Amino acid sequence: MDGDDTSLRALLQILTEPRRRYALYHLRRHDETTVTRLADNVAGWMDADRDEPLSGQEHVHIYTELHHTDIPRLVAAGIVHLPDDEERVEVVSFPDVLSDLLDVTLEFDDGGV
């Protein structure tokens, strides 16, 4: 991703999904994680906005969506790599513009602005 309009547009589309944003907050601090740990972290973010804790079924749904939808989207964007074991997620490239955008979205997701 070289920062042109297409790349910026792709990053913005990635950030429209809260699960992906929450996953990227975690991945920005950890170059490698597991899909399970990532799902737990994302569930924690999603749980914070609710009056009741997420159900087990909702947690499984988050894991499934991350594994089959969100992580492949991040792989296609060249941000992460999912090795053959398909449980580990490794950061490949974290462009500065993505980090800057995450700083802005974090303010909103944290209840800021």
Side-chain angles (χ1 to χ4, degrees):
M1 304 193 115
D2 58 9
D4 64 15
D5 289 339
T6 304
S7 296
L8 181 58
R9 187 173 302 119
L11 289 176
L12 291 171
Q13 289 173 343
I14 285 169
L15 294 174
T16 60
E17 171 54 54
R19 278 187 318 270
R20 286 192 292 267
R21 283 197 313 275
Y22 302 155
L24 286 168
Y25 297 146
H26 182 80
L27 290 166
R28 179 163 60 167
R29 287 181 280 144
H30 307 279
D31 288 340
E32 184 176 319
T33 191
T34 64
V35 177
T36 300
R37 181 170 290 146
L38 198 57
D40 289 344
N41 191 275
V42 169
W45 274 90
M46 295 179 86
D47 209 24
D49 288 340
R50 300 171 46 119
D51 294 331
E52 296 179 16
L54 291 170
S55 69
Q57 184 177 3
E58 289 169 315
H59 198 274
V60 168
H61 178 74
I62 290 169
Y63 177 92
T64 303
E65 288 296 313
L66 278 170
H67 200 275
H68 295 287
T69 304
D70 301 318
I71 293 171
R73 186 104 183 245
L74 298 177
V75 168
I79 298 168
V80 301
H81 171 69
L82 191 63
D84 292 336
D85 67 10
E86 293 194 8
E87 178 56 24
R88 288 179 301 122
V89 179
E90 300 171 350
V91 174
V92 173
S93 173
F94 216 97
D96 289 340
V97 67
L98 177 57
S99 190
D100 292 344
L101 289 168
L102 284 174
D103 288 341
V104 173
T105 59
L106 181 60
E107 289 184 37
F108 288 96
D109 288 333
D110 245 0
V113 181

